[in-house]
Amino acid sequence: QVELVESGGGLVQTGDSLQLSCAASGGTASAFAMAWFRQAPGKKREFVAAITSTGRTYYGDSVQDRFTIAIGNVKKTTRLQMNNLKPEDTAVYYCAADVQRGAVSDEFAYGYWGQGTQVTVSS
């Protein structure tokens, strides 16, 4: 019932910025938590950021103070502003959503996922 579509990925250089967006359609609820995860080749999926229905934000240690998650002006749209990008940020970034439950950093707390958008940071 819920579809998530990510966009905004691309190839950038170290220190550049990108803004990813996640557009949600279908029967999303206002109480949904939204999150971003990323997965690099050969590595496990990693928590990046999350925002609750009340606007509380959470970040993984590796992106703290560089990335910002927020609700966009378009309804059911979530954006991830990524600043001062580093080569280690290179990964496929996934948007996730679900009724808030458990830890926001737990990938298994989310039942709805997008297909991902590639972010590549060259050095």
Side-chain angles (χ1 to χ4, degrees):
Q1 186 177 10
V2 177
E3 182 178 1
L4 305 176
V5 180
E6 305 96 334
S7 62
L11 173 63
V12 298
Q13 296 180 340
T14 298
D16 285 353
S17 297
L18 277 176
Q19 185 176 101
L20 307 182
S21 64
C22 175
S25 61
T28 55
S30 61
F32 272 24
M34 305 293 297
W36 288 92
F37 291 79
R38 67 187 184 186
Q39 187 166 20
K43 296 185 178 181
K44 295 181 178 180
R45 189 162 296 185
E46 176 188 16
F47 171 72
V48 176
I51 185 167
T52 70
S53 61
T54 59
R56 288 286 303 274
T57 58
Y58 303 82
Y59 299 94
D61 291 341
S62 63
V63 305
Q64 184 73 42
D65 300 323
R66 296 189 298 119
F67 291 10
T68 303
I69 187 171
I71 302 298
N73 295 127
V74 179
K75 186 179 180 180
K76 299 183 179 180
T77 300
T78 305
R79 68 174 188 265
L80 181 70
Q81 179 65 44
M82 306 185 295
N83 297 325
N84 192 24
L85 285 163
K86 304 175 180 179
E88 50 263 44
D89 295 318
T90 296
V92 176
Y93 284 70
Y94 298 91
C95 178
D98 213 334
V99 176
Q100 187 174 345
R101 55 175 179 257
V104 296
S105 60
D106 183 0
E107 64 181 284
F108 296 105
Y110 302 92
Y112 303 103
W113 292 82
Q115 294 301 305
T117 185
Q118 177 71 47
V119 172
T120 302
V121 185
S122 63
S123 59

